[in-house]
Amino acid sequence: MIHEKSLIRPENLKTHDKLVIDGVDVSGHWSTFIEPRVVTDYNERLQEEIAALPGGEHVHRCWQCGSCTNSCTVNAVNPDFNPRFWIYLIRMGMESELLRDKDIIWQCVSCNKCTYACPRDVFPEGVMKATAHWLELKGHTPKSKSTIFDAEFTEQVLATGKIEDGRVLRNFFARTGQPLMQDWLVEMVKRVARRLPVLQGLKMGLAAVFRPRTKGWSKAQAAITEYLSEEEVKQKKALNLE
Ligand code: SF4
Ligand code: SF4
């Protein structure tokens, strides 16, 4: 049962401008009805599909207390952002209803307030991530900047066993079509440069040019690559994707 009025779609609310029942005038909002609807397009595997993605593993534990939504940073500014409601839809298999909010689910800022508030260890933040990922894998939304950043980060770790922040940012901007010279970035670099010890600055400069690798990285690289491709196969199978 959904109690929040904001969750009733306006098109499902019906009123009669002129209605008299047994001599009682119930015109206008006194005769507001919620139109009954029959859901026929359940995805009975929706919960399983979300649970197959990183972060979504514990979605089945939710008992709908609403603490996640009550504590949510994004919900405080956008009441349509409602983790409890989406977890409800996932558990019920109501895919088409979930898709109506596909363009705002990615807005989760990963503050994890919901995770700390949840009495059932559902990890709602993880479920939001898994749901956003599910939307991308199923082709309902384009790849988000967050996914593109994760891909760039992972590729760099895999290649060298190290992270070089400047390279991550440069490549991320290039992949997302953003200019490198952004005011906030220039300001940040200036401030960091002012406080950075000379030796540290030198090391960073050399790392940017020569791209050092972690010693003996090849074995770890092979193991991580194998693990990632196994996970990808498992996820695609769970989501019934080619
Ligand atoms: S992690 Fe996401 S869903 Fe959880 S409280 Fe923060 S913004 Fe809301
Ligand atoms: S706080 Fe946890 S148990 Fe409560 S509605 Fe949110 S996910 Fe479900």
Side-chain angles (χ1 to χ4, degrees):
M1 173 71 88
I2 302 166
H3 297 283
E4 292 107 305
K5 192 176 172 208
S6 64
L7 295 179
I8 302 168
R9 309 281 174 186
E11 64 270 25
N12 292 339
L13 287 173
K14 300 286 170 216
T15 56
H16 294 81
D17 292 339
K18 205 83 196 132
L19 185 66
V20 177
I21 298 176
D22 292 339
V24 180
D25 186 351
V26 288
S27 304
H29 74 274
W30 295 109
S31 62
T32 302
F33 296 99
I34 303 170
E35 188 154 62
R37 64 199 173 96
V38 179
V39 180
T40 53
D41 54 348
Y42 285 104
N43 173 359
E44 289 174 7
R45 298 196 64 258
L46 185 55
Q47 176 173 286
E48 246 174 84
E49 291 181 2
I50 298 291
L53 299 174
E57 297 89 346
H58 305 299
V59 64
H60 65 281
R61 290 185 185 164
C62 176
W63 61 16
Q64 289 291 296
C65 69
S67 302
C68 49
T69 297
N70 283 343
S71 61
C72 178
T73 305
V74 179
N75 177 266
V77 289
N78 177 9
D80 289 338
F81 188 94
N82 193 331
R84 182 208 63 78
F85 178 51
W86 294 327
I87 291 171
Y88 165 81
L89 297 178
I90 291 164
R91 299 211 57 213
M92 293 293 115
M94 295 166 81
E95 181 170 326
S96 53
E97 196 73 8
L98 183 71
L99 291 181
R100 297 177 79 152
D101 290 331
K102 68 184 169 72
D103 294 326
I104 56 170
I105 294 173
W106 65 271
Q107 290 176 354
C108 169
V109 294
S110 292
C111 64
N112 269 305
K113 281 160 113 182
C114 55
T115 301
Y116 291 108
C118 178
R120 294 279 295 160
D121 287 343
V122 172
F123 298 103
E125 184 269 347
V127 178
M128 292 306 100
K129 277 276 170 330
T131 308
H133 192 186
W134 176 88
L135 287 165
E136 289 174 17
L137 289 173
K138 288 271 182 169
H140 297 304
T141 54
K143 272 190 185 173
S144 66
K145 289 198 171 80
S146 157
T147 299
I148 296 169
F149 185 89
D150 287 351
E152 177 59 37
F153 192 95
T154 308
E155 279 168 28
Q156 280 209 29
V157 172
L158 268 181
T160 60
K162 288 180 187 291
I163 277 297
E164 201 273 295
D165 297 335
R167 192 183 304 272
V168 173
L169 269 184
R170 273 199 315 277
N171 291 356
F172 169 68
F173 285 154
R175 284 166 90 152
T176 52
Q178 298 183 68
L180 183 58
M181 298 304 272
Q182 304 201 25
D183 292 349
W184 66 270
L185 184 60
V186 172
E187 186 57 32
M188 191 181 82
V189 171
K190 272 191 209 158
R191 289 187 192 192
V192 169
R194 258 183 249 136
R195 289 173 178 75
L196 198 67
V198 178
L199 194 59
Q200 185 67 22
L202 204 62
K203 275 186 185 170
M204 284 172 70
L206 288 173
V209 176
F210 295 108
R211 211 177 178 197
R213 279 166 66 99
T214 297
K215 228 177 167 188
W217 179 242
S218 312
K219 274 190 184 170
Q221 185 188 47
I224 297 170
T225 305
E226 190 183 339
Y227 172 78
L228 289 178
S229 71
E230 279 172 11
E231 285 301 302
E232 196 182 338
V233 170
K234 266 197 251 167
Q235 289 171 12
K236 285 191 170 166
K237 198 172 165 205
L239 271 62
N240 208 13
L241 297 170
E242 283 303 310

